[in-house]
Amino acid sequence: MMRVLALVVLLVGLCGQAFAQDRASVERQFRGWLEQQIWPRARAAGVARATFDAAFSGVKLNWDLPDLVPPGSKPRTPQRQRQAEFGSPGKYFNRGSVDAATSVGKQMGRSHAAALAAAERRTGVPGRIILAIWGRESGYGRVKIPHNVFEVLGTKGFMSTRAAYFTDELIAALRIAQAGHAPAGAMKSSWAGALGQPQFMPSSFLDYAADGDGDGHADIWRSEADTIASIARYLQRHGWIAGRDWGFEVSVPASVSCTLEGPDQGRKIRDWVAMGITRISGRAFPDHESRAEGFLLMPAGRSGPAFIVTPNFYVLKDYNMSDLYALFVGHVGDRIAYGVGDFTARWGNVGGLNRSDVAAMQRALEAMGHDVGGADGLAGYKTRRSIGRWQEATGQSATCFPEAVMKAALAR
């Protein structure tokens, strides 16, 4: 027994030593990749050698990041995921997140009223919307942003499932450093490489970051004025329509199918009203909104609140490609500015599915000819309405949201 234990200990030690040697070899390849592939691109983009060396001084591969594919290995099978975006929609609007974003947002609105007003004059984007995005992205700058952006983007550019994308972002980050927008050590990012308080990817920084305080730099790490101006410019450049709202909570009668959801099925808001859709508040839609285009949004199908949203909703969605994200921002913005309460309709007890379960349903619907927007395990509007169309075609009442019982029924 003692000899067996000794052999096990020896094998474990040898495996650990080999693993360390493998990592050391990959680290050497990483340094070679930086020098042979990244430096020529950086130099061509106007980055000085001193900037390049400072950026990667002490930087090593971060082996804790997700979706890594070390040289010579195969991509791992994705883990089963249960995030709110494809689980229960109501969890995205948990009490703590909504209340914190609202209460701190009101404080920040008072503290930075001048910068918010200036941004709204320049771009037409309401201050309440800027505040809500700021709160969602970084807790108004209070959430710690822990990572060295060059470590993150270097690692993911060298060995991730989206290496080309992150390599381009790495070059963009070096251009930001060269321009001096942030001092050494201040360019912190998320684990995905998103920068500063607005959480811009480096390419978005180059396109949309703005100097809100007039010092000649767009410092989205330390300057609240620059953060506010940058969020506003991003939304403006993505098509924000000044004077229009983002959307309205509504009541959708049973006579209006949930399969009419989506940005490609818009109609004048007054036409939605003629079909029987009404505002939850009981008030009429503003005249200028009534004459303009609106879209049906039912993020939990028949099991949650419903909305008529404007094109501005989809501008918010450009910031983060999630219906729930855009809805959270619009809702928190309204709470900050108008003191509104929770949505009137309750979120139903739906969701809680693994992403792989939703993907299996999507593949089955695709086999029937439905456009679900890709079998990615995310219950977006194309998936929701495809479920509704399948339900209607099979004599069921359309609910337009994935449920566990559907997996077996769709597989028949």
Side-chain angles (χ1 to χ4, degrees):
M1 178 63 73
M2 293 299 294
R3 278 185 295 206
V4 171
L5 289 174
L7 180 60
V8 169
V9 170
L10 176 62
L11 289 173
V12 169
L14 290 173
C15 287
Q17 185 178 22
F19 183 66
Q21 289 173 344
D22 286 345
R23 284 201 171 183
S25 174
V26 174
E27 290 282 357
R28 287 192 295 272
Q29 292 178 59
F30 171 59
R31 302 309 302 189
W33 174 78
L34 288 175
E35 192 63 36
Q36 296 162 22
Q37 296 191 39
I38 301 305
W39 165 238
R41 285 190 59 182
R43 179 176 55 198
V47 176
R49 184 71 207 199
T51 302
F52 183 86
D53 289 342
F56 293 106
S57 176
V59 167
K60 295 182 179 180
L61 292 171
N62 184 336
W63 293 86
D64 294 327
L65 296 175
D67 303 321
L68 299 184
V69 187
S73 65
K74 295 180 180 180
R76 298 177 184 175
T77 301
Q79 295 181 341
R80 293 159 74 86
Q81 302 178 53
R82 304 179 70 95
Q83 284 98 317
E85 286 83 351
F86 45 85
S88 175
K91 290 182 179 178
Y92 203 93
F93 298 85
N94 68 80
R95 182 85 280 136
S97 295
V98 171
D99 286 352
T102 301
S103 61
V104 179
K106 290 178 178 179
Q107 298 170 20
M108 299 299 275
R110 292 189 291 269
S111 300
H112 302 286
L116 289 161
E120 184 167 355
R121 285 194 301 272
R122 285 193 301 268
T123 65
V125 180
R128 73 183 195 278
I129 296 296
I130 299 169
L131 286 166
I133 288 180
W134 187 13
R136 186 63 182 173
E137 293 297 334
S138 65
Y140 304 98
R142 300 182 181 192
V143 172
K144 183 179 180 181
I145 302 172
H147 297 290
N148 178 323
V149 69
F150 299 108
E151 175 186 277
V152 168
L153 294 177
T155 299
K156 295 178 83 68
F158 177 66
M159 57 173 192
S160 80
T161 55
R162 300 172 64 197
Y165 167 76
F166 286 108
T167 298
D168 289 345
E169 294 295 339
L170 177 59
I171 300 301
L174 288 165
R175 290 175 58 193
I176 295 167
Q178 179 65 37
H181 290 294
M187 283 185 63
K188 298 295 185 180
S189 78
S190 71
W191 61 266
L195 297 169
Q197 297 185 47
Q199 287 291 275
F200 280 176
M201 292 302 292
S203 59
S204 289
F205 179 100
L206 293 175
D207 288 339
Y208 309 115
D211 175 16
D213 55 20
D215 69 352
H217 295 290
D219 185 351
I220 61 172
W221 295 269
R222 301 170 304 167
S223 170
E224 291 85 357
D226 290 0
T227 295
I228 288 166
S230 297
I231 294 172
R233 176 183 284 180
Y234 183 99
L235 296 177
Q236 178 196 36
R237 296 280 182 85
H238 281 77
W240 185 272
I241 302 171
R244 291 208 68 183
D245 211 320
W246 66 268
F248 308 86
E249 187 182 0
V250 297
S251 176
V252 181
S255 58
V256 177
S257 175
C258 53
T259 63
L260 295 177
E261 181 184 9
D264 53 352
Q265 298 191 100
R267 58 187 74 197
K268 300 283 197 237
I269 291 179
R270 65 190 177 200
D271 294 336
W272 289 113
V273 173
M275 295 169 66
I277 290 179
T278 58
R279 289 180 68 181
I280 288 291
S281 66
R283 298 195 300 272
F285 289 94
D287 287 342
H288 73 285
E289 296 284 10
S290 183
R291 296 189 300 270
E293 190 174 31
F295 312 90
L296 181 62
L297 173 74
M298 302 181 74
R302 288 283 180 184
S303 298
F307 307 86
I308 292 294
V309 297
T310 77
N312 284 341
F313 176 86
Y314 295 101
V315 174
L316 296 179
K317 193 174 174 181
D318 281 339
Y319 208 100
N320 182 315
M321 288 304 294
S322 162
D323 288 334
L324 298 179
Y325 175 92
L327 188 58
F328 183 97
V329 167
H331 180 54
V332 168
D334 288 351
R335 293 172 72 100
I336 290 171
Y338 309 132
V340 301
D342 294 337
F343 297 132
T344 299
R346 302 295 89 184
W347 296 100
N349 185 25
V350 293
L353 299 174
N354 289 311
R355 188 165 172 175
S356 55
D357 294 328
V358 178
M361 297 179 203
Q362 291 170 320
R363 288 191 292 271
L365 288 164
E366 284 181 328
M368 298 176 191
H370 291 281
D371 176 11
V372 298
D376 57 3
L378 303 176
Y381 74 89
K382 288 187 176 181
T383 293
R384 297 194 294 265
R385 71 188 186 192
S386 292
I387 287 171
R389 289 168 180 168
W390 164 74
Q391 290 173 314
E392 290 178 347
T394 53
Q396 306 174 63
S397 296
T399 60
C400 297
F401 201 79
E403 300 173 32
V405 295
M406 294 176 185
K407 185 178 178 182
L410 283 165
R412 289 182 203 152

